[in-house]
Amino acid sequence: MIHGETLTDTELGRALLARQGLLERIDAPVAEVVARIGALQAQHWPAIPIALWSRVQGFSPAALYAALDNGELITGQLIRGTLHLVSAAEYPEYAAMATESGADSWHRAKTPPTEAMAAVRERLADYAAQPRSSAELSEFAESTVAAALVANPDLLSPEELEIQRSHNWRPFFRWSRLRRVPEPGGWGAAQPVAYAAAPRPAIWSDTVLLELVSRYLRAFGPAAAADIAYWLGTKTPPVRDILAAHGDEFARFVDPRGRQLYDLSDAPRPAADRPAPARLLPSFDSTLLAYSPEHRARILPEPYRDVIYQRRNLRILPTFLLDGLVAGTWSMQAKRRLATVELSPLRPLNRRERAELQAEAESLSRTINPGIPDHRVLFA
């Protein structure tokens, strides 16, 4: 039976914006903000400082790099088998989800791997006690598996061995036990491509799943069980069961399509008439990925979905929000003396909207490109 007050898409959108720091930027240390807004996808590294600039009061990229350098933030292969940036304190539970859901699976052949291969793989984490390049991990995996096969020829099927070698063992070491770090040198705008040992995953349990469900709702609620499962990269029934088992701990609502939604009781849910400022979001922004694809109307108008999601190359374009909804896309080019942000509206803009976007885009450009003297905002 469906329970709770029905919330409009606008009300759901305002709840999302409030939690994400997109109604008012969050005045807190960057690691604390990342914990509050949920795991940030990090496969496109330049998107991370833009996502945080949109959400954090007074953000500078140096604050992000400092938090990564001192270990408060970690980038690793986590939920849905995708690189994410998370707080170090929350890493073990996300890593446990990666293992439980199969996102950590490395084998590619039909023949399942032997249990002994888990111990062989664990040696990679020991080897990565200091940062290692992809080439070093490939060489180490090859030599370690080759030595293990001498002692146990049935350790790995010939088909699996051929596949792994053809991919330089990359599936074997793209793993939540390894975090991403920069090559020798400090953190900066370049994609971190080396690997180092990461915290061990938590032992999987209903308690871990409940914690992950609560984190999701803190960042993206109210939401349905299917939305939570989609974000975590797992099946819906276990999420639905944990919500049912702890039903008294969650508030319940209904969306305009009649779906049962859950939320943290004390989470913010602003009124629909709460003003929402213009905001620029990066590629692969969490707000556009946090719900099952057919249920994103709280932030993405249906007519724009196929514009924002480029299926041919699996990209999600940078977007801008007006009144809490995606209203266009944008791009940025930086040269030695001039940085340009080009805004491409998907609907007509009034004078106030253009002025808000102009100010936001110029502020973003100056933050992300501090060494460039001139900045220009164009409307396509």
Side-chain angles (χ1 to χ4, degrees):
M1 183 178 293
I2 304 297
H3 297 279
E5 171 192 356
T6 297
L7 299 179
T8 67
D9 284 335
T10 303
E11 289 172 318
L12 292 171
R14 291 301 188 266
L16 169 64
L17 298 179
R19 297 164 204 212
Q20 289 290 310
L22 295 171
L23 281 183
E24 293 182 9
R25 286 181 166 91
I26 302 170
D27 188 6
V30 66
E32 180 181 327
V33 173
V34 169
R36 286 170 59 176
I37 65 176
L40 290 173
Q41 283 202 202
Q43 75 267 45
H44 183 58
W45 188 245
I48 293 296
I50 297 170
L52 292 171
W53 171 84
S54 294
R55 293 161 165 89
V56 181
Q57 184 68 40
F59 173 78
S60 71
L64 165 65
Y65 305 141
L68 284 160
D69 196 43
N70 66 26
E72 293 179 299
L73 293 174
I74 298 178
T75 302
Q77 203 93 13
L78 295 168
I79 53 175
R80 307 191 306 280
T82 304
L83 280 174
H84 281 81
L85 176 78
V86 302
S87 72
E90 295 188 338
Y91 192 93
E93 290 77 22
Y94 284 116
M97 183 78 259
T99 301
E100 175 66 15
S101 66
D104 258 357
S105 175
W106 58 270
H107 63 280
R108 299 293 181 267
K110 294 181 180 179
T111 305
T114 60
E115 292 185 6
M117 278 301 295
V120 175
R121 196 185 192 199
E122 192 66 29
R123 296 180 201 170
L124 285 171
D126 296 334
Y127 178 65
Q130 65 183 48
R132 303 290 183 179
S133 67
S134 294
E136 288 175 317
L137 284 175
S138 295
E139 292 172 7
F140 183 82
E142 174 67 30
S143 61
T144 301
V145 173
L149 282 169
V150 171
N152 181 5
D154 295 327
L155 183 70
L156 199 64
S157 70
E159 181 187 7
E160 186 70 66
L161 185 61
E162 180 181 351
I163 293 172
Q164 293 295 328
R165 283 173 169 167
S166 70
H167 290 89
N168 291 321
W169 294 92
R170 286 190 298 272
F172 198 61
F173 60 77
R174 286 179 176 168
W175 179 30
S176 63
R177 285 283 283 119
L178 298 172
R179 57 191 171 92
R180 290 294 181 90
V181 296
E183 295 275 32
W187 287 91
Q191 183 87 19
V193 294
Y195 296 79
R200 290 184 177 278
I203 297 173
W204 186 253
S205 66
D206 283 351
T207 301
V208 171
L209 179 56
L210 179 62
E211 170 63 24
L212 290 170
V213 167
S214 297
R215 287 180 193 173
Y216 171 93
L217 293 175
R218 179 181 65 199
F220 305 113
D227 297 322
I228 302 169
Y230 176 86
W231 174 251
L232 294 175
T234 189
K235 297 184 183 302
T236 302
V239 174
R240 188 182 295 121
D241 291 345
I242 207 77
L243 288 166
H246 296 267
D248 293 342
E249 300 174 30
F250 298 103
R252 295 190 186 193
F253 301 94
V254 182
D255 76 2
R257 286 149 286 281
R259 295 195 307 158
Q260 181 72 73
L261 306 182
Y262 298 86
D263 202 8
L264 302 183
S265 297
D266 59 351
R269 288 180 289 273
D273 60 359
R274 172 75 178 270
R279 289 285 188 264
L280 273 67
L281 304 180
S283 302
F284 302 101
D285 193 79
S286 300
T287 57
L288 302 182
L289 291 164
Y291 311 97
S292 51
E294 67 274 22
H295 294 291
R296 294 168 174 169
R298 70 183 71 190
I299 190 167
L300 179 62
E302 179 62 28
Y304 303 158
R305 186 167 71 170
D306 289 340
V307 177
I308 304 307
Y309 295 94
Q310 296 191 333
R311 289 180 173 84
R312 67 182 182 276
N313 55 10
L314 300 179
R315 283 189 59 81
I316 299 176
L317 296 179
T319 59
F320 61 78
L321 305 180
L322 290 171
D323 193 29
L325 293 171
V326 169
T329 63
W330 64 275
S331 62
M332 181 161 53
Q333 289 188 342
K335 299 182 179 179
R336 190 168 64 88
R337 296 196 58 80
L338 174 66
T340 303
V341 178
E342 182 169 335
L343 301 159
S344 301
L346 294 170
R347 63 165 176 79
L349 306 181
N350 60 40
R351 184 176 298 178
R352 177 187 56 79
E353 290 173 331
R354 291 174 69 92
E356 276 195 56
L357 284 169
Q358 175 104 16
E360 279 288 293
E362 183 172 338
S363 177
L364 170 63
S365 183
R366 292 186 181 280
T367 300
I368 300 301
N369 306 298
I372 296 177
D374 297 324
H375 300 264
R376 183 178 302 169
V377 178
L378 305 175
F379 288 86

